[in-house]
Amino acid sequence: MYDFLQNKTVQFISCFSSLAMWLGSFIIAAVKKNTICIWLMVGAHTTQNIIIGVKTGKRAGLDTLTSISKCYCYGFAWWLPLLLKLNKEGK
């Protein structure tokens, strides 16, 4: 699993998918006048930030703002490969 998630193509597709879901949420909100998708994305990414995103970023030596912004943009597509890499390196 580690090798798969460290593949640059897989990381690109994962991050692109997350950004596409954000864009889709905003399009749905604009067209359908329904913001539930945005609120679900905000809720999911806030939960990830609180539980693991900021901690993983700090372990990797990133500042809090960078960790929060990457977690909001990419979610687990950002922190999961980083966490696996840190665990493999023993940090």
Side-chain angles (χ1 to χ4, degrees):
M1 181 66 126
Y2 171 78
D3 293 331
F4 177 73
L5 290 174
Q6 293 304 315
N7 183 305
K8 295 296 181 191
T9 304
V10 171
Q11 287 180 350
F12 175 79
I13 291 169
S14 297
C15 291
F16 180 81
S17 298
S18 181
L19 292 174
M21 289 190 321
W22 275 112
L23 179 62
S25 296
F26 283 105
I27 290 171
I28 289 170
V31 172
K32 299 283 186 178
K33 307 290 189 255
N34 186 347
T35 59
I36 188 70
C37 291
I38 293 173
W39 289 114
L40 290 172
M41 292 285 287
V42 168
H45 288 257
T46 300
T47 303
Q48 288 179 46
N49 261 316
I50 292 169
I51 294 173
I52 198 161
V54 174
K55 291 177 197 172
T56 303
K58 285 187 185 251
R59 265 181 71 188
L62 299 172
D63 63 291
T64 304
L65 185 59
T66 300
S67 299
I68 289 171
S69 61
K70 286 187 179 218
C71 197
Y72 269 110
C73 288
Y74 309 119
F76 76 90
W78 168 74
W79 63 258
L80 184 58
L82 181 59
L83 182 64
L84 291 173
K85 180 181 177 185
L86 291 171
N87 287 343
K88 188 173 184 179
E89 292 174 354
K91 287 187 178 179

